Amino acid sequence: MALLFFGIDPGSDGGDCPGVWVDTDNGDMLFQGWDPDEETQTNCRADNACPDTESVVRVPARMAAMIRRACDVAESAAAR
């Protein structure tokens, strides 16, 4: 597994904060984010069940450009 780190939340002061990676072997994207509040989790589960092996994470909108760059790399890696 070769993980390419794209960065952390630009609005944070470093430390424990949301982050974005791409596995360049297969194009999978990995996100570190905040646990959503119970209301958000309930709303998400109304659209799509979330088994114990998965979780919903919240990343701030200010990370959108970073996530777009990660998506471009992920698509390229998945196409190989």
Side-chain angles (χ1 to χ4, degrees):
M1 174 184 338
L3 294 180
L4 179 58
F5 181 60
F6 278 83
I8 61 172
D9 174 1
S12 72
D13 60 1
D16 300 330
C17 50
V20 179
W21 297 260
V22 171
D23 182 333
T24 57
D25 290 343
N26 60 19
D28 286 353
M29 291 182 286
L30 298 97
F31 296 93
Q32 174 185 340
W34 299 298
D35 290 331
D37 58 59
E38 193 60 42
E39 180 181 5
T40 300
Q41 289 186 49
T42 299
N43 288 335
C44 290
R45 288 183 178 120
D47 294 324
N48 187 33
C50 191
D52 291 341
T53 57
E54 297 178 3
S55 60
V56 173
V57 296
R58 181 183 292 272
V59 294
R62 61 184 168 257
M63 294 179 71
M66 184 183 308
I67 293 168
R68 277 190 210 92
R69 290 193 308 273
C71 287
D72 290 343
V73 170
E75 283 182 330
S76 294
R80 286 189 257 145

